[in-house]
Amino acid sequence: MLLFGRARVLRSSWVYNSCRCRSTIALPSKPARTRFAPSPTGYLHLGSLRTALFNYLVARATGGKFIIRLEDTDKKRTVPDAEERLFQDLEWAGLDWDEGPDIGGSFGPYKQSERTATYQKHADDLLISGHAYCCFCSTERLNALAKKRAQLKLSGEYDRACLHAGSSTTEKRLSDGEPYVIRLKVSDETPTFKDIVYGTVGQSNKKRLHLPGDAAYEDPILIKSDGQPTYHLANVVDDHYMKISHVIRATEWMSSTPKHLSIYRALGWTPPKFAHVGLLQNHKREKFSKRNDDLDLQSFKKEGIFPEALTNYVALFGWSHKLDNDFLRLQDLINNFSFNFTKGDTIAAPEKLFFLQKKYAVKYVEENGIDLKSMVESISAIAEENLKSQPGGIDLMSVKHRVERLLPRGASNYTTPQKFFNDHIQFFRPVHRPPLDSKTDTWVLGLTSDNLDAVTLQISQVSSAEKWTEHAMKHLIDKFCTDIFNAKLSGSGLAGLKEVRSAVNAYLRWAVTGGRPGPGIPLTMEILGREFTIQRLKEAIVERNAFKAQEKVLAEGAQTLSGHAVE
């Protein structure tokens, strides 16, 4: 089931051949070891949650292991609390892991900053085997080379100046203490790979062509001048030693995969299987970024989005299924997950999140468990804060009771705690009634002030709280409408009993809630309670009489002006 728009263009030059059918791509038959390897340079956002979730689901669906690994070598950009927030956000989203920096495991350490010696050893092995070389080129030279190649409309690759300098020159520069990086010496044959989603990527046995005067090579840096590994080397070494079997990641990394395969080949290792999924984009077709505060998971948490709803929502980004509906709890996702990822980028539709939020709200009300209790607490906290900052509403002791009564009737429209409070503010704060129009049905049907005062009086005569129920209010209002109809309209042809009921209920809604939509009037009265309901009905009489008096003055004024015009 495809739920979101897709950008069909791959942002790379890779050639891929695969079937575009909608048949399910099955998961591996053996337990998979997958990982989520974020960098603590920002907070978890929708795109990174999706990467974590897809890897988690593959592991759980196959009875495998899900590993958390931190790529924390970029100390300059590290955000102090990002690591702690990462664990908190994943737990909030309902994900757990089997190995990681916080719980350990058999293949640790799980922070790249603690594995530097391992990376250096394998870089040295590559130097010895001739698959890597030292590069002493300064930033200035590399920038000048890139600028020159750009002017010639050539790709910005390296010319292997340091490789061609000879071993004696290299040894002297090393002994002199010159700063250097270690580069991989890629082969002229471009590696191909079989992607689970895109099929065969690259062209088999294709060799890199070098034009005359264009001796340039895509030799990635493995070790930086500060001794820290680059993503390319650390990623490969970590996945190998942690026995990762499947890597699910965004298509932005597809262009790096041949580099990684070259490192695997140079080290004599077997690579994991790759599944690349399209980028997750906003409505402007911009990639989600960890540096956009509006999109990190804490923003959804603060807004009151259910973690289950968000996880369900994110799972549908670029993954298709054959079930009847999209309401899928975490265990449902595990039971039905596959590699049936769609090709192309996915546009996140916020409407889908609110659709799922409503579905989960209804489910939580039906289950009457801890999730419903959490909803009540969240809405009550907002209501209480509002009442404290703006006195004049209901007693704070009554807030939770009213929320508990309102949620079962309003769950199907529930999106966030704040919106729920705003939509039902008439139950917590004094109402503001718009002016009544004397031309409305209430008056056309002959419901005089005496009639409206009579319904107020009858409601006021319900003396005890035991009798103040939705059923009792409905019976009272129905009887009043029937009496009015029989006394004034029966047989007149002016209106039926249905119209009378509609008019009376419209007046009562105006009187009790200011005309705001919400539960039926009998239930509204029960939730408000006898004291508040009667108080508002009496206020409505005063306001209604004031409106009538004002209309009378205006009518007399208009009549006077009309008389002057005739003269």
Side-chain angles (χ1 to χ4, degrees), residues 369-424:
I370 189 171
D371 294 305
L372 175 59
K373 182 178 179 181
S374 178
M375 291 171 68
V376 171
E377 295 292 343
S378 297
I379 300 167
S380 298
I382 291 172
E384 289 169 3
E385 184 63 30
N386 180 278
L387 292 170
K388 289 176 184 177
S389 62
Q390 302 177 47
I394 67 169
D395 183 352
L396 290 175
M397 299 297 291
S398 305
V399 169
K400 187 173 292 188
H401 171 73
R402 293 193 178 185
V403 173
E404 289 172 340
R405 294 304 314 280
L406 287 167
L407 265 174
R409 302 299 179 99
S412 60
N413 289 312
Y414 182 95
T415 53
T416 67
Q418 183 65 61
K419 189 173 186 303
F420 189 89
F421 170 74
N422 293 344
D423 290 345
H424 298 85

Side-chain angles (χ1 to χ4, degrees), residues 36-53:
F36 176 53
S39 171
T41 55
Y43 303 123
L44 211 61
H45 58 81
L46 288 182
S48 51
L49 175 60
R50 183 186 66 162
T51 299
L53 178 62

Side-chain angles (χ1 to χ4, degrees), residues 88 259 283 293 299 304 308 369 409 411 435 447 476 482 488 519 539 542 557 563:
Q88 292 174 351
K259 297 185 182 72
H283 67 285
D293 292 338
S299 65
E308 271 197 297
R409 302 299 179 99
L447 301 180
L476 187 153
T482 301
K488 295 194 172 187
E539 291 171 356
V542 175

Side-chain angles (χ1 to χ4, degrees), residues 460-469 473 530:
S460 302
Q461 288 175 342
V462 179
S463 57
S464 65
E466 290 78 10
K467 297 180 180 179
W468 193 270
T469 64
M473 293 299 103
R530 182 178 184 279

